[in-house]
């Protein structure tokens, strides 16, 4: 089991708390005090150097790593391991001055200037060469350092910003040529006879903007994924060449940020990480839990929260502070959902720079801010819980499918400004999570056996190979639930020459006759109760005697009156269900209950009061539950059987949780 959990560093604790530390911003004489304070607060990890290029290579080819050796060694003296970031999100001034072609050009043709970040062009061969050089020098120097446990490539991958220059356009055209082989093929797939778009040579193909062909636009997104993957691989190759295989390689992603396909970009990484910021307001446990599960699904394994908010950020509309106890609740929620590390960004504010007044653990005077107390308490609890979490991973019977291609396809042609596929995903997640208490969010192409229920709220792009994959799952006994707008498009973002749900019509025994963007809600009712369809409605028609209609529209626009909205049918050893409308919250919840019952889903822990979130991690001969109370009042939880309360350190049958209260329960049953 241990080896299947790569984020649990051998010889280190199973779950870690750390911080993002910038020793290059401070005199060396200060470091020891920083590290002493970190150690006293039970911090175990620092992520360092991801913006320190100008300090590591002050002029071309002159590498200065001595300071970093000393910082890493000093951290180790305080029992803190280091994760090294490659500094390629912040190329130094000498570099961009000497090689201006490394600077990104925006959509309006303006070249980025020095002094911001993410200003390098990920497609520039020169920039790639320079990135490779610094990453390689770092790997040669630190690749065997026992106190360096891993690497982060770049930082938030330049927000996936592309350079709109001639080199990039040519690379895109070459990429298209490699994919389509002939222009005739490309012209057919994109239906370029429409609006006289036909291309006669590859060089005519533009980088798309918002009003371009949907096929071209989807391919540009794929090319963006390809570009950033290659940018990442360029550094991974040299790190892997020189570094001890024990050192992991990760990238820090940004939740539902959709600049590229995260399943693909995560492939070569040891594990995925993400930066979990609340911004204005307070944590929404459903949205945050969903995003943890999304990140876990990139590689279907545990992950890191390599940055999180230390109270407040500096970039939101209102940079309010988290309530007391909220960050601790969030840290434990992360662990419950499969994180093995939580790092606070950042340790201490730089005295100048764009993020002067961002939240920190230590103030500009070098002494702890009150928030550090909560971090220290949480980190102390992590210490206590090490053994319980060693070798554990979340295990789910329910999967939600999330596809970047479908997301982009719907975004390009929303049909109603109100259509929000991520909100729809979240509404199903919110309804199903309490019923299952563990959900995986995975790519539609992920292996699905093992799941009793698979819900795909937005599978707009559903080509034949994917339909076959899903049908095999249903055939073998799974329950597949499709949401509105499913199976309308093929992989070229062309309409399928069938009605929805395309290649699944026969299995469902029903099809979509017509779809409607709604300017107002329409009544809907049936075996699942009554309520309204909102934003979107599809009129379904069954053509198989065993296709059952569970919801119908009431009197609405004439077309939908008394028509089917929700169809389900047994197929093979399993079942396929199609929900053609966006349902209100009450009906979504009724639908989720029906799905759970029909698919034999039971909560992994058992019932808990409203506002309490339960998560489970499973290891050899044990289960660990994390309970977090998000309700504004205290909650009493009755356990299904006696367990060990790990934080309270005693056997319990009931747990009382104050607001933001947490308990970790170990069961060896
Ligand atoms: C992250 C970024 C960090 C820091 C932080 C501030 O997105 O990776 O470098 O800027 O935001 O909230």
């Amino acid at each position: 089991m241990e080896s299947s959990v790569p984020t649990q560093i051998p010889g280190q604790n199973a779950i870690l708390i750390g911080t993002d530390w910038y020793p290059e911003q401070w005199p060396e004489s200060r470091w020891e005090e920083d590290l002493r304070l970190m150690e006293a607060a039970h911090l175990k990890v620092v992520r360092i150097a991801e913006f320190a290029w100008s300090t590591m290579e002050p002029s071309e080819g002159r590498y200065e790593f001595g300071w970093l050796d000393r910082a890493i060694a000093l951290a180790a003296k305080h029992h803190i391991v280091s994760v090294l970031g490659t500094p390629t999100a912040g190329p130094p001034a000498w570099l961009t001055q000497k090689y201006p072609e490394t600077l990104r050009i925006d959509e309006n043709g303006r070249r980025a200037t020095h002094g911001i970040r993410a200003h390098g062009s990920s497609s520039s061969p020169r920039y790639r060469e320079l990135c490779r050089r610094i990453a390689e020098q770092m790997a040669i120097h630190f690749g065997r350092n026992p106190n360096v446990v891993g690497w982060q490539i770049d930082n938030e991958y330049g927000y996936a910003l592309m350079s709109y220059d001639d080199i990039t356009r040519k690379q895109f055209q070459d990429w298209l040529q490699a994919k389509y082989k002939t222009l005739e093929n490309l012209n057919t797939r994109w239906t370029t006879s429409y609006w006289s778009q036909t291309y006669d040579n590859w060089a005519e193909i533009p980088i798309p903007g918002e009003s371009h062909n949907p096929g071209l636009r989807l391919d540009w997104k794929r090319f963006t994924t390809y570009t950033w993957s290659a940018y990442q691989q360029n550094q991974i190759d040299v790190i892997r060449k020189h570094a001890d295989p024990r050192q992991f390689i990760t990238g820090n992603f940004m939740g539902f940020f959709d600049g590229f396909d995260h399943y693909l970009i995560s492939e070569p990484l040891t594990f995925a990480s993400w930066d979990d910021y609340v911004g204005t307001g307070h944590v929404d446990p459903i949205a945050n839990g969903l995003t943890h599960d999304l990140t876990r699904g990139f590689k279907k394994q545990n992950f890191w929260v390599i940055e999180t908010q230390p109270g407040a950020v500096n970039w939101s509309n209102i940079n309010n502070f988290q309530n007391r106890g909220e960050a601790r609740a969030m840290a434990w929620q992360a662990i419950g959902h499969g994180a093995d590390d939580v790092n606070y960004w950042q340790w201490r504010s730089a005295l100048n720079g764009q993020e002067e007044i961002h939240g920190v653990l230590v103030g500009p005077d070098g002494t702890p801010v009150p928030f550090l107390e909560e971090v220290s308490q949480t980190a102390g609890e992590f210490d206590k819980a090490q053994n319980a979490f060693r070798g554990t991973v979340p295990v789910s019977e329910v999967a939600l499918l999330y596809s970047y291609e479908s997301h982009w396809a719907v975004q390009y042609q929303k049909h109603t400004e109100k259509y929000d596929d991520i909100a729809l995903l979240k509404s199903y997640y919110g309804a199903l999570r309490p019923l299952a208490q563990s959900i995986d969010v995975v790519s539609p192409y992920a292996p699905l056996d093992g799941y009793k229920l698979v819900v795909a709220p937005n599978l707009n792009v559903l080509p034949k190979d994917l339909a076959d994959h899903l049908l095999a799952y249903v055939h073998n006994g799974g329950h597949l639930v499709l949401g509105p707008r499913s199976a309308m498009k093929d992989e070229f973002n062309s309409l399928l020459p069938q009605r929805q749900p395309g290649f699944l019509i026969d299995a469902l025994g029903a099809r979509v006759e017509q779809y409607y963007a709604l300017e107002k809600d329409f009544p809907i009712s049936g075996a699942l109760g009554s309520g309204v369809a909102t934003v979107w409605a599809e009129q379904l028609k069954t053509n198989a005697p065993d296709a059952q209609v569970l919801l119908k529209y009431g009197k609405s626009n004439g077309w939908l009156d008394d028509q089917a909205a929700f169809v389900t049918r047994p197929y093979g050893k399993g079942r396929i269900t199609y929900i053609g409308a966006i349902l209100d919250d009450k009906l979504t919840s009724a639908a989720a209950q029906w799905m759970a019952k029909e698919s034999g889903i039971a909560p992994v822990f058992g019932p808990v009061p409203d506002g309490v979130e339960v998560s489970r991690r499973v290891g050899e001969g044990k289960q660990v539950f994390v309970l977090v109370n998000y309700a504004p009042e205290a909650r009493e939880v009755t356990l299904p059987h006696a367990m060990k309360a790990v934080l309270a350190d005693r056997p319990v049958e009931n747990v009382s949780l104050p607001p933001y209260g947490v308990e970790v329960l170990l069961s060896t049953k």
Side-chain angles (χ1 to χ4, degrees):
M1 183 62 101
E2 290 275 354
S3 61
S4 67
V5 190
T7 65
Q8 298 188 359
I9 304 162
Q12 297 292 330
N13 291 342
I15 51 171
L16 305 158
I17 286 199
T19 187
D20 304 303
W21 183 46
Y22 299 94
E24 70 275 21
Q25 296 168 3
W26 301 98
E28 204 167 325
S29 54
R30 165 69 202 187
W31 297 351
E32 179 101 47
E33 176 59 5
D34 278 336
L35 293 159
R36 188 193 66 75
L37 287 168
M38 287 183 208
E39 187 179 16
H42 314 283
L43 304 190
K44 302 287 191 287
V45 186
V46 285
R47 188 200 59 192
I48 44 179
E50 86 279 9
F51 285 108
W53 197 338
S54 64
T55 314
M56 290 190 284
E57 192 183 359
S59 60
E60 188 166 5
R62 182 159 68 85
Y63 298 100
E64 294 202 348
F65 293 130
W67 66 275
L68 197 47
D69 287 328
R70 295 192 293 280
I72 293 167
L74 211 55
K77 185 180 138 198
H78 290 276
H79 307 105
I80 293 171
V81 296
S82 296
V83 175
L84 285 178
T86 66
T88 49
W94 60 255
L95 186 156
T96 55
Q97 176 80 18
K98 180 167 175 197
Y99 306 107
E101 74 273 27
T102 61
L103 286 166
R104 197 169 38 77
I105 292 186
D106 72 13
E107 278 140 297
N108 303 315
R110 280 189 305 251
R111 206 174 265 291
T113 51
H114 190 77
I116 52 168
R117 61 177 170 180
H119 48 304
S121 163
S122 59
S123 47
S124 151
R126 171 77 73 192
Y127 192 53
R128 291 250 184 105
E129 179 195 324
L130 293 158
C131 291
R132 190 180 171 94
R133 240 154 59 185
I134 183 72
E136 179 155 41
Q137 289 302 317
M138 286 177 79
I140 291 170
H141 196 91
F142 300 105
R144 306 272 150 191
N145 186 319
N147 302 310
V148 173
V149 293
W151 298 80
Q152 174 190 296
I153 308 289
D154 202 79
N155 190 69
E156 294 181 339
Y157 291 112
Y159 323 115
L161 289 169
M162 295 292 281
S163 189
Y164 290 73
D165 54 27
D166 292 347
I167 292 183
T168 311
R169 197 175 70 244
K170 174 75 170 67
Q171 288 174 357
F172 180 45
Q173 291 158 348
D174 291 348
W175 181 88
L176 289 168
Q177 187 166 5
K179 173 172 176 171
Y180 289 95
K181 310 287 189 269
T182 66
L183 276 171
E184 194 195 345
N185 185 26
L186 176 143
N187 281 318
T188 310
R189 296 305 192 176
W190 293 356
T191 319
T192 53
S193 52
Y194 173 83
W195 281 3
S196 201
Q197 289 169 16
T198 315
Y199 296 107
D200 318 284
N201 77 63
W202 298 97
E204 292 165 356
I205 303 173
I207 294 179
E210 283 195 357
S211 15
H212 278 95
N213 179 299
L216 168 62
R217 291 183 75 189
L218 192 60
D219 272 332
W220 172 251
K221 279 291 187 193
R222 292 190 180 110
F223 174 71
T224 302
T225 304
Y226 162 82
T227 299
W228 283 96
S229 298
Y231 174 85
Q232 168 187 262
Q233 195 62 43
N234 177 49
Q235 299 187 35
I236 291 179
D237 285 346
V238 287
I239 295 173
R240 280 282 170 250
K241 183 166 160 208
H242 300 287
D244 194 321
R246 145 190 81 74
Q247 294 181 340
F248 64 72
I249 302 182
T250 192
N252 58 335
F253 301 116
M254 295 180 279
F256 277 93
F257 171 77
D258 65 356
F260 43 60
D261 186 323
H262 288 59
Y263 300 112
L264 294 177
I265 207 156
S266 300
E267 258 171 32
L269 300 174
T270 319
F271 59 84
S273 299
W274 80 288
D275 299 343
D276 183 2
Y277 291 97
V278 174
T280 300
H282 294 277
V283 65
D284 168 351
I286 295 294
N288 209 51
L290 169 63
T291 318
H292 286 312
D293 295 347
L294 173 85
T295 309
R296 194 177 73 247
F298 293 158
K299 288 191 67 77
K300 292 200 74 186
Q301 66 189 23
N302 290 10
F303 60 96
W304 277 26
V305 175
I306 208 158
E307 295 182 19
T308 194
Q309 184 165 328
V313 297
N314 71 324
W315 44 258
S316 211
N317 296 343
I318 300 176
N319 298 309
N320 63 281
F321 214 87
Q322 287 161 299
N323 293 328
R324 193 167 194 151
E326 186 176 354
R328 171 176 173 255
M330 281 180 70
W332 278 113
Q333 181 188 32
I335 299 300
H337 284 255
D340 286 343
D341 168 89
V342 175
N343 282 353
Y344 291 87
W345 195 96
Q346 58 177 332
W347 174 246
R348 182 177 178 182
S349 30
L351 292 181
N352 212 326
Q354 283 88 328
E355 295 172 309
E356 270 179 358
I357 60 167
H358 192 282
V360 284
L361 302 184
V362 159
D365 63 339
T367 68
V369 298
F371 182 80
L372 182 60
E373 227 179 274
E374 184 170 321
V375 172
S376 169
Q377 179 198 342
T378 314
E381 292 169 349
F382 275 33
D383 273 353
K384 231 175 166 175
Q386 295 311 326
N387 285 335
F389 285 98
R390 205 171 296 286
T392 62
V393 293
V395 176
S396 312
E397 292 185 328
V398 178
L400 283 180
L401 304 186
Y402 179 70
S403 146
Y404 286 90
E405 302 197 335
S406 287
H407 166 72
W408 292 322
V410 164
Q411 286 295 310
Y412 296 161
Q413 293 169 325
K414 285 165 79 121
H415 213 53
T416 153
E417 61 180 13
K418 291 186 184 159
Y419 209 92
D420 181 345
D421 61 290
I422 294 177
L424 184 62
L425 182 79
K426 187 184 157 200
S427 76
Y428 277 105
Y429 181 87
L432 284 163
R433 181 68 175 51
L435 305 177
Q437 296 175 343
S438 189
I439 292 185
D440 286 353
V441 179
V442 295
S443 154
Y445 286 95
L448 299 175
D449 12 303
Y451 295 119
K452 291 183 176 169
L453 172 66
V454 168
V455 183
N458 189 56
L459 224 41
N460 192 241
V461 173
L462 214 164
K464 177 83 171 57
D465 62 333
L466 181 53
D468 289 345
H469 173 60
L470 298 175
L471 281 176
Y473 163 71
V474 177
H475 210 83
N476 293 331
H479 183 182
L480 172 70
V481 179
L482 296 164
R485 303 181 81 148
S486 287
M488 202 183 223
K489 304 283 195 73
D490 69 10
E491 68 271 39
F492 304 100
N493 214 359
S494 294
L495 291 171
L496 289 168
Q498 297 106 306
R499 307 288 267 278
Q500 296 163 254
F503 298 103
L504 303 174
I505 290 178
D506 288 347
L508 178 67
R511 69 172 207 177
V512 173
E513 292 296 301
Q514 192 155 281
Y515 51 84
Y516 307 84
L518 305 187
E519 84 284 18
K520 60 175 190 198
D521 295 349
F522 286 155
I524 189 167
S525 62
L528 302 180
S530 56
V532 294
T534 181
V535 181
W536 194 267
E538 289 171 359
Q539 172 188 349
L540 289 157
K541 187 165 181 218
T542 59
N543 58 24
D546 53 349
Q548 221 187 328
V549 176
L550 296 188
L551 286 175
K552 277 185 170 185
Y553 302 99
K555 198 159 173 39
S556 40
N557 63 358
W559 304 108
L560 282 166
D561 298 7
D562 205 33
Q563 300 297 307
F566 188 127
V567 172
T568 183
R569 182 178 182 229
Y571 178 79
K573 291 189 211 141
R575 171 170 291 279
I576 174 163
T577 297
Y578 192 101
I579 307 173
I582 297 189
L583 306 173
D584 62 43
D585 289 351
K586 206 175 113 226
L587 273 179
T588 303
S589 159
Q593 282 175 32
W594 172 83
M595 288 174 213
K597 189 154 176 244
E598 187 62 47
S599 323
I601 305 295
V604 292
F605 178 86
V608 291
D610 265 9
V612 174
E613 192 206 60
V614 184
S615 301
R616 178 184 66 155
R617 292 174 53 151
V618 181
E620 204 103 26
K622 66 180 174 188
Q623 305 185 70
V624 198
F625 297 97
V626 178
L627 303 183
V628 182
N629 178 20
Y630 290 102
E633 308 88 26
R635 291 282 191 258
E636 302 298 319
V637 182
T638 308
L639 277 48
H641 54 83
M643 298 186 197
K644 182 179 175 196
V646 175
L647 303 186
D649 199 15
R650 59 187 163 82
V652 289
E653 289 180 4
N654 301 291
V655 175
S656 174
L657 298 169
Y660 292 130
V662 175
E663 189 50 273
V664 174
L665 299 164
L666 173 65
S667 162
T668 45
K669 246 189 155 168

